[in-house]
Amino acid sequence: NAGVMQNPRHLVRRRGQEARLRCSPMKGHSHVYWYRQLPEEGLKFMVYLQKENIIDESGMPKERFSAEFPKEGPSILRIQQVVRGDSAAYFCASSLGKNTEAFFGQGTRLTVV
Amino acid sequence: AQSVTQPDIHITVSEGASLELRCNYSYGATPYLFWYVQSPGQGLQLLLKYFSGDTLVQGIKGFEAEFKRSQSSFNLRKPSVHWSDAAEYFCAVGARDSSYKLIFGSGTRLLVRP
């Protein structure tokens, strides 16, 4: 059983471009969470999704960021018009249920140049 | 405000020595408590968690942690460190009704001397 798969592992974007980060949860998991880790900081919660629904987006920046988890396919975190401050590691986690153990992926390291 | 403090940014220990990583939290009620380890270029792996009951929790890889309510602490310990334990360690807390929304500390990087 493969773990949580994130791709790409590394992503470089120029300021103003769009970044698309993908996350395939563990098999059988329908709950997905995105976290962001800024340099020298801990992870910060961004958004919690279940299939086709956003459950909690209280940690998402109000502009330029969006997330989806379609019925088929991976969860996508999209960042439009990236800025230097978006450079971070973005981690996805998945779980069987809302309050069950979450398993983390290896992260996508976004660098904005 | 809810927060997690890991006061030590870096810790260096000799292989075979004991280890204690500190974690203090500020939370309205008793939260769920977690320790994760992140090896270079890897995702986070759960070492152990505390939900309720015995305040001394055993985890994987020989780690344990003790919840002390009076001190709002959840320190991680290991009696004998191995070189492969070199990594970054994160303490996290979560609300009992929404433990998916974890609040992480800023991490402690462990270096192991041969």
Side-chain angles (χ1 to χ4, degrees):
Chain A
N1 185 12
V4 178
M5 303 300 292
Q6 290 187 248
N7 66 82
R9 293 288 306 279
H10 300 275
L11 182 62
V12 179
R13 284 287 177 266
R14 295 186 186 279
R15 280 178 294 170
Q17 290 185 319
E18 178 179 285
R20 280 177 158 250
L21 288 63
R22 287 177 290 277
C23 169
S24 296
M26 286 181 68
K27 188 175 181 180
H29 288 191
S30 61
H31 299 250
V32 164
Y33 320 91
W34 286 92
Y35 284 79
R36 176 167 64 176
Q37 183 181 28
L38 293 169
E40 308 300 322
E41 294 187 16
L43 283 73
K44 288 188 167 47
F45 169 79
M46 299 180 76
V47 62
Y48 162 30
L49 309 106
Q50 254 186 296
K51 284 287 187 180
E52 301 185 274
N53 289 304
I54 296 175
I55 307 300
D56 182 345
E57 57 181 347
S58 57
M60 286 280 269
K62 293 288 182 273
E63 298 176 346
R64 302 188 297 107
F65 284 71
S66 62
E68 62 178 13
F69 188 18
K71 188 176 181 181
E72 302 290 337
S75 175
I76 305 287
L77 179 68
R78 181 190 302 172
I79 311 171
Q80 295 177 300
Q81 300 174 326
V82 295
V83 301
R84 289 247 172 90
D86 296 333
S87 295
Y90 292 83
F91 287 93
C92 170
S94 73
S95 68
L96 276 172
K98 176 183 172 184
N99 285 319
T100 59
E101 180 180 343
F103 293 83
F104 282 81
Q106 294 179 306
T108 293
R109 279 154 181 81
L110 172 66
T111 302
V112 180
V113 297
Chain B
Q2 299 161 353
S3 65
V4 177
T5 301
Q6 293 181 248
D8 304 304
I9 298 174
H10 299 277
I11 281 187
T12 301
V13 300
S14 298
E15 192 168 13
S18 63
L19 171 71
E20 182 169 29
L21 302 182
R22 295 183 289 166
C23 173
N24 292 92
Y25 65 90
S26 174
Y27 211 81
T30 301
Y32 289 166
L33 297 154
F34 306 81
W35 273 99
Y36 285 87
V37 60
Q38 184 181 25
S39 298
Q42 302 296 311
L44 278 75
Q45 182 181 21
L46 180 66
L47 284 175
L48 49 78
K49 58 183 183 276
Y50 172 78
F51 284 179
S52 64
D54 192 346
T55 55
L56 185 62
V57 181
Q58 301 297 321
I60 61 171
K61 304 185 180 187
F63 285 93
E64 66 178 26
E66 186 172 11
F67 167 55
K68 291 185 177 180
R69 186 191 306 273
S70 61
Q71 299 176 19
S72 296
S73 69
F74 189 56
N75 294 349
L76 182 71
R77 299 194 293 250
K78 186 170 184 178
S80 177
V81 169
H82 188 263
W83 64 266
S84 61
D85 293 325
E88 187 142 26
Y89 291 80
F90 292 95
C91 179
V93 303
R96 288 175 174 266
D97 61 348
S98 57
S99 61
Y100 62 85
K101 192 188 293 186
L102 298 176
I103 300 170
F104 283 82
S106 54
T108 298
R109 186 170 299 279
L110 173 66
L111 303 173
V112 180
R113 278 193 297 259

